[in-house]
Amino acid sequence: MMKQKNDYWKLFLLLECALLLFLGIFYFSCGEALYVRKSDGNIEEFGFTNDTGELLEGGVVEQTYTSQMDQLTAIGVMVSNYGQASESQLTIRVEDVTEGHMLAQQTYRVADIGINSYVYLPVPEHTKLRRGSLVKITLTSDAAGGSAPTALYHVGYAFEKDAVGKDAVLLVNGEVVTGTLCIAVQGNNYVWTGPNFWKLVCLAVLLSAAVYCLLAYRSIRGKTSYFFALFGVLNRYGFLIQQLVARDFKTRYKRSVLGVFWSLLNPLLTMTVQYIVFSTLFKSDIDNYQVYLLTGLVVFNFFNEGVGQGLTSIVGNASLITKVYLPKYVYPVTRVLSSGINLLMSLIPLVLVAAITGETFTRSYLMAPYILLCIMIFTIGFGMIMASAMTFFRDMQFLWGILSLLWMYLTPVFYPITIIPVETRRYFGYNPMIHYINALRSIVMDGTAPRPSEFAICTLWACGILFTGCLIFKKTQDKFIFYI
């Protein structure tokens, strides 16, 4: 506990500088992603089950749908020439029906189309399209019979997002056809965070200052403040905490031939085995499956190991707890921190595999430490909950093995989220590990920082579970001595 007012001011300035530094790195690493992001309203590529027949001269195929993006960049339509070397032409036109103006138009040689392939029509950047506008895609051709292109459509296909499918109609030569053209719509949405970022910075500084002043006032008045008490614990027991972390880490590899090198080999060997097993199932759907798989394994293995270590932290340190005074929450925290060393070492093979497979290292990597910190805080909070439960119910060590296995299969570690039915996919958003893994994959595989909303979700999950874990641990720690 700090005694002098100057100490409070020094800590306040240090924390505010750290906050400003973090926000500056956040702004730099996110770049344009704070202003423009790929739209969630896109219609992705999908297969077909039928065709509209030959698109002869005078024939027209029209598809309308409701746009759910702020900036349309390209529209792809699946067509086929069935291998015919036709010199006829296919014209694709895109219109904004609501505003009544043309968005883009282009003509293609039918001979260049190919068989069942997407033909993409780029939309000029300056083109304006309002969210909710009705878009019409029109296909025409000057071909004669036997040399005409054919458009493909999905029978009875309903758009994944109801708002996109609103007022959607497919017309073939003026007649309504039940289904949807096989189309792929690409575009961007404007992000509110970028233009208002510096306002958010000011709000964050003022809010953090207000909270700090409130906690400092309570501490000066002699009321308990766990925030400042934490610094006192670190100052008083810092050396012992370091020894506990080192002990737990060294014990894990005691008498092993390779020792700490298992921290590097374990994720690589696990990835190799699972890659051999699952690559034939998911490789066609996932680009760079090696990095996709290894990223998920690194994050989930740390969580599984950290919680498993924290689970036995109280029971396993019974001799110390009964002989040496130390705040009891230090034991699960140090166990997770020792697993954190494994996490940092397992990042080395991840970076190496990413480099070997051609992934680009961008400035978004600057935000990777923050995502890893959130994962570690989340694991500490969950580990404290499990440590409390394990003290009273020894069966938790067996239940955790089953729970962690179930949790892993409910997390897209080795499979793509796209294999989950659309109607149940939204429930997966309540799984915090998905957000942490996707955030790290966005940085490593896409070269872009996660969305501001994803940062907020990762932070809220970490703080929420840590608060819950501390609350449960505090309520039960006085009874530990009777059960260990």
Side-chain angles (χ1 to χ4, degrees), residues 212-229:
Y212 183 90
C213 290
L214 177 61
L215 294 175
Y217 176 76
R218 287 174 55 85
S219 179
I220 293 173
R221 294 290 298 271
K223 296 182 179 180
T224 302
S225 174
Y226 294 104
F227 176 76
F228 293 110

Side-chain angles (χ1 to χ4, degrees), residues 8 16 18 20 23 26 32 71 76 99 112 203 213 375 381 418 440 466 480:
Y8 289 99
E16 288 297 299
L20 290 174
L23 292 174
F26 177 80
E32 288 298 318
Q71 182 184 26
E99 296 296 326
D112 299 332
L203 179 62
C213 290
I375 297 170
T418 52
L440 196 58
L466 179 63
F480 289 169

Side-chain angles (χ1 to χ4, degrees), residues 414-445:
F414 52 82
Y415 62 85
I417 191 66
T418 52
I419 70 172
I420 305 300
V422 175
E423 57 272 12
T424 60
R425 197 179 301 171
R426 65 176 180 272
Y427 297 110
F428 278 65
Y430 297 108
N431 180 355
M433 295 310 298
I434 289 181
H435 296 286
Y436 293 127
I437 291 175
N438 286 344
L440 196 58
R441 281 174 176 162
S442 177
I443 293 172
V444 177
M445 299 185 65

Side-chain angles (χ1 to χ4, degrees), residues 43-52 61-65 74-80 82 90 92 116-121 137 139 150-159 169-172 177-186:
I43 305 169
E44 303 295 344
E45 299 180 1
F46 53 87
F48 64 93
T49 57
N50 208 341
D51 61 69
T52 60
V61 174
E62 297 175 316
Q63 173 71 65
T64 58
Y65 74 93
I75 289 184
V77 182
M78 181 179 281
V79 292
S80 179
Y82 292 107
L90 169 70
I92 302 177
N116 301 342
S117 58
Y118 275 91
V119 175
Y120 281 90
L121 172 64
I137 305 171
L139 282 70
T150 299
L152 291 305
Y153 72 95
H154 193 291
V155 177
Y157 179 80
F159 288 106
V169 179
L170 173 60
L171 297 175
V172 178
V177 175
T178 303
T180 304
L181 276 182
C182 295
I183 55 179
V185 182
Q186 302 173 357

Side-chain angles (χ1 to χ4, degrees), residues 74-123:
I75 289 184
V77 182
M78 181 179 281
V79 292
S80 179
N81 62 7
Y82 292 107
Q84 298 177 8
S86 173
E87 293 300 320
S88 57
Q89 294 182 327
L90 169 70
T91 300
I92 302 177
R93 183 172 67 251
V94 181
E95 303 171 74
D96 183 345
V97 178
T98 304
E99 296 296 326
H101 64 266
M102 182 82 66
L103 297 176
Q105 178 173 314
Q106 191 164 325
T107 300
Y108 308 85
R109 289 179 65 245
V110 174
D112 299 332
I113 290 176
I115 301 176
N116 301 342
S117 58
Y118 275 91
V119 175
Y120 281 90
L121 172 64
V123 178

Side-chain angles (χ1 to χ4, degrees), residues 385-436:
I385 296 174
M386 299 300 289
S388 299
M390 173 67 178
T391 305
F392 302 103
F393 309 103
R394 296 295 198 272
D395 293 341
M396 287 304 302
Q397 59 184 321
F398 307 110
L399 292 175
W400 171 243
I402 300 173
L403 177 61
S404 61
L405 184 63
L406 176 62
W407 201 330
M408 184 185 71
Y409 284 121
L410 291 177
T411 305
V413 173
F414 52 82
Y415 62 85
I417 191 66
T418 52
I419 70 172
I420 305 300
V422 175
E423 57 272 12
T424 60
R425 197 179 301 171
R426 65 176 180 272
Y427 297 110
F428 278 65
Y430 297 108
N431 180 355
M433 295 310 298
I434 289 181
H435 296 286
Y436 293 127

Side-chain angles (χ1 to χ4, degrees), residues 127-356:
T127 303
K128 302 295 183 182
L129 179 67
R130 292 183 180 180
R131 182 185 297 269
S133 294
L134 190 64
V135 177
K136 181 168 69 174
I137 305 171
T138 304
L139 282 70
T140 57
S141 172
D142 61 358
S147 62
T150 299
L152 291 305
Y153 72 95
H154 193 291
V155 177
Y157 179 80
F159 288 106
E160 181 174 327
K161 293 181 178 294
D162 294 336
V164 177
K166 181 183 178 183
D167 301 323
V169 179
L170 173 60
L171 297 175
V172 178
N173 296 326
E175 297 183 2
V176 177
V177 175
T178 303
T180 304
L181 276 182
C182 295
I183 55 179
V185 182
Q186 302 173 357
N188 300 312
N189 284 341
Y190 301 128
V191 182
W192 175 86
T193 310
N196 297 280
F197 183 78
W198 299 112
K199 296 178 183 178
L200 295 174
V201 170
C202 294
L203 179 62
V205 170
L206 292 175
L207 183 61
S208 61
V211 172
Y212 183 90
C213 290
L214 177 61
L215 294 175
Y217 176 76
R218 287 174 55 85
S219 179
I220 293 173
R221 294 290 298 271
K223 296 182 179 180
T224 302
S225 174
Y226 294 104
F227 176 76
F228 293 110
L230 176 61
F231 292 96
V233 170
L234 293 175
N235 182 53
R236 186 174 180 180
Y237 301 105
F239 177 76
L240 184 55
I241 292 173
Q242 292 178 16
Q243 295 304 308
L244 288 174
V245 173
R247 183 204 66 176
D248 293 334
F249 181 72
K250 292 176 182 178
T251 302
R252 184 179 295 114
Y253 300 109
K254 187 177 182 180
R255 297 182 180 178
S256 113
V257 176
L258 295 179
V260 296
F261 285 104
W262 278 112
S263 297
L264 304 176
L265 291 176
N266 190 44
L268 280 176
L269 294 176
T270 305
M271 182 210 71
T272 302
V273 173
Q274 293 197 358
Y275 177 77
I276 294 173
V277 175
F278 296 113
S279 60
T280 55
L281 296 176
F282 306 122
K283 188 175 181 180
S284 60
D285 298 326
I286 302 174
D287 294 330
N288 201 344
Y289 185 67
Q290 299 96 316
V291 175
Y292 180 92
L293 177 60
L294 188 55
T295 305
L297 288 174
V298 165
V299 174
F300 199 89
N301 283 352
F302 162 71
F303 170 69
N304 187 27
E305 179 187 319
V307 174
Q309 290 287 322
L311 182 71
T312 59
S313 59
I314 300 299
V315 177
N317 286 291
S319 58
L320 277 176
I321 293 175
T322 55
K323 296 177 182 178
V324 180
Y325 174 75
L326 187 67
K328 295 182 182 65
Y329 61 80
V330 169
Y331 295 105
V333 171
T334 54
R335 285 290 185 90
V336 175
L337 290 179
S338 68
S339 297
I341 300 175
N342 262 353
L343 171 64
L344 295 178
M345 296 186 67
S346 63
L347 292 175
I348 297 175
L350 173 60
V351 172
L352 290 176
V353 172
I356 293 172

